[in-house]
Amino acid sequence: QCWHCNEQGSMGRGTKVSAVVPIKTYAADEVDFGGLDYLKERGISEDTAKTLGVCSGRKFFKKSGTELDAIGFPYRHQGRVTAIKWRSISTKEFTQDGSAQTLFLADKIEPGQDIVITEGELDAVIVSGVLGIPAVGCPGVANWKSHYPRLFNGYDTVYVVGDHDVKEDGSNPGAEFNRRVASEVMNATIVNLPAGLDITDYYLQNGYDKTRRLLGVVNE
């Protein structure tokens, strides 16, 4: 299914292309005070959160085995919320309502411009809402889907920003995210971050101007 013209069909040896169907519309509260404090610590204002549809609520997280306060990132397609990815405030745990089949903030971008793709929703909020650069978020290489590269048809340079976080076992998911996306998306350019940082960390340490320059933006 083409996400720009909604054309559907099949390819290859009769292999059917799965259509992405919104399963329901989700409702969530505006960001509460706890959630707002969590976002403010990361440089995200209340206005930015509301503009991008960030929400809050209490969700059950399997690892903790209990309900926790959480921030929600809505995924939209054709004007409808099709999924909400939840991140707990007190622990770095995730859960999801629905099934995200597109990219976070994909409804807010337009072809014919440079764009940033981040490894994670919160990073996309920083790039899009705080730095003012068109951006979408993908929650890691494990969640990168085969139809995603087609979403970038018609864009100019696609800046790929994976986290630079080496795990205890020596793996580097961010580097693998960069490699995978850059190998599949035309006009992709990898943005290399200092060791141990994601783009949110980099922004908090270095500020607006330096982060925009890192992402290839030269201030007027």
Side-chain angles (χ1 to χ4, degrees), residues 177-198:
F177 177 81
N178 287 344
R179 186 204 64 77
R180 172 79 182 273
V181 177
S183 69
E184 296 185 15
V185 175
M186 293 181 60
N187 300 325
T189 296
I190 294 174
V191 175
N192 293 307
L193 291 165
L197 299 184
D198 58 27

Side-chain angles (χ1 to χ4, degrees), residues 156-174:
D156 294 335
T157 303
V158 179
Y159 294 96
V160 187
V161 189
D163 300 345
H164 195 337
D165 50 353
V166 178
K167 304 298 184 183
E168 292 182 358
D169 61 3
S171 64
N172 189 337

Side-chain angles (χ1 to χ4, degrees), residues 38-39 42 44 48-49 52-55 61 71-76 82-88 92-108 116-131 133-145 148 161-163 177 198-201:
Y38 174 86
L39 295 176
R42 288 152 181 81
I44 301 168
T48 294
L52 299 182
V54 180
C55 55
F61 290 89
I71 295 294
F73 303 95
Y75 283 70
R76 292 182 171 85
T82 59
I84 298 179
K85 177 79 173 290
W86 296 94
R87 174 175 176 155
S88 68
K92 192 175 181 180
E93 294 180 70
F94 298 91
T95 189
Q96 185 174 156
D97 290 333
S99 177
Q101 297 294 320
T102 184
L103 294 165
F104 178 60
L105 300 182
D107 59 311
K108 297 184 178 296
V116 174
I117 176 169
T118 68
E119 186 190 357
E121 297 89 354
L122 190 63
D123 290 341
V125 171
I126 287 289
V127 176
S128 177
V130 178
L131 300 176
I133 305 169
V136 292
C138 175
V141 66
N143 295 287
W144 180 259
K145 302 181 186 299
Y148 283 170
V161 189
D163 300 345
F177 177 81
D198 58 27
I199 195 64
T200 298
D201 297 328

